[in-house]
Amino acid sequence: GDSVTQMEGPVTLSEEAFLTINCTYTATGYPSLFWYVQYPGEGLQLLLKATKADDKGSNKGFEATYRKETTSFHLEKGSVQVSDSAVYFCALLYGQNFVFGPGTRLSVLP
Amino acid sequence: GAGVSQSPRYKVAKRGQDVALRCDPISGHVSLFWYQQALGQGPEFLTYFQNEAQLDKSGLPSDRFFAERPEGSVSTLKIQRTQQEDSAVYLCASRPSGSYNEQFFGPGTRLTVL
């Protein structure tokens, strides 16, 4: 079945450091790909998405490119802030339902 | 505008008790989804409604789990004879008509079964 794999956390970075969170997927067909973020005590929020190969999703300084050849959708940000501390979930959508990865906790230290 | 709301936010149940978790979707959203998120894991799909019709319940883990949306708005997820393995955060999400990709998530209900 469809699945999503993410790098294990927690990831701890200093403010202004470069962030990469790896995400790879297994799916039949060509799913849409997403990154969701979950701040403490809040629900999941859509961060960015890409619906076809080579699409780049971007939002709030975060970027991810849909790579069909490597079945990957790695999340990057050039300079993280303390306010980026949260849990990040990579997900695919095929049909009606999301399949989420296990999440990666990011802590950014001042 | 108001987002998806869920109640209660926290629920503690003794093993064997029945619980009911409520989801109020964004007004006018046609589709509604329930997910179960175990500690340290990503959400896993439970069931999906379009209006009042339950179109997919393939993710419900056992016949102790039951969901309804009788008037096509508020939904209730009911768990009968709760077990410790039911302890998780239960997330509800809604999606407007005409949107394929985005689901709007509520804050979740954290269920702890003792």
Side-chain angles (χ1 to χ4, degrees):
Chain A
D2 297 350
S3 66
V4 175
T5 303
Q6 291 180 235
M7 63 186 289
E8 289 190 20
V11 174
T12 303
L13 295 174
S14 298
E15 204 165 25
E16 299 183 2
F18 184 85
L19 168 72
T20 300
I21 301 178
N22 290 339
C23 170
T24 57
Y25 67 91
T26 302
T28 53
Y30 302 103
S32 296
L33 300 175
F34 300 77
W35 278 98
Y36 273 84
V37 59
Q38 188 173 38
Y39 298 101
E42 299 184 16
L44 292 167
Q45 299 176 25
L46 177 64
L47 182 60
L48 54 84
K49 64 184 179 185
T51 58
K52 61 183 187 296
D54 299 325
D55 268 3
K56 177 186 283 188
S58 61
N59 185 26
K60 299 180 181 180
F62 291 89
E63 293 183 340
T65 301
Y66 189 144
R67 300 290 188 198
K68 187 176 69 173
E69 63 276 12
T70 55
T71 62
S72 65
F73 193 54
H74 304 322
L75 182 68
E76 297 182 336
K77 186 175 186 182
S79 177
V80 293
Q81 306 300 312
V82 173
S83 57
D84 294 327
S85 298
V87 181
Y88 292 81
F89 293 92
C90 185
L92 64 84
L93 180 67
Y94 194 71
Q96 298 291 341
N97 311 325
F98 278 99
V99 175
F100 287 90
T104 302
R105 181 176 298 278
L106 170 66
S107 295
V108 180
L109 305 178
Chain B
V4 177
S5 61
Q6 293 185 243
S7 60
R9 291 292 310 276
Y10 303 91
K11 176 70 178 177
V12 178
K14 293 183 179 178
R15 190 159 51 104
Q17 284 184 330
D18 297 349
V19 298
L21 312 180
R22 176 187 170 107
C23 172
D24 285 82
I26 294 172
S27 178
H29 279 197
V30 171
S31 301
L32 186 146
F33 302 79
W34 283 98
Y35 294 84
Q36 180 189 58
Q37 185 177 14
L39 186 65
Q41 301 297 315
E44 292 190 358
F45 170 78
L46 293 177
T47 187
Y48 155 58
F49 290 85
Q50 185 164 309
N51 295 306
E52 68 278 6
Q54 189 174 19
L55 298 186
D56 187 346
K57 54 182 181 179
S58 61
L60 296 176
S62 78
D63 58 8
R64 296 186 295 104
F65 287 70
F66 173 76
E68 59 184 7
R69 194 186 186 199
E71 297 178 358
S73 55
V74 171
S75 178
T76 303
L77 177 66
K78 298 180 179 178
I79 308 173
Q80 298 176 326
R81 305 181 303 282
T82 53
Q83 304 294 314
Q84 284 189 321
E85 61 264 28
D86 300 335
S87 296
V89 175
Y90 291 86
L91 296 170
C92 176
S94 68
R95 186 182 72 190
S97 61
S99 170
Y100 173 70
N101 284 323
E102 187 166 1
Q103 295 180 15
F104 295 82
F105 283 83
T109 294
R110 181 178 296 278
L111 172 65
T112 302
V113 181
L114 303 177

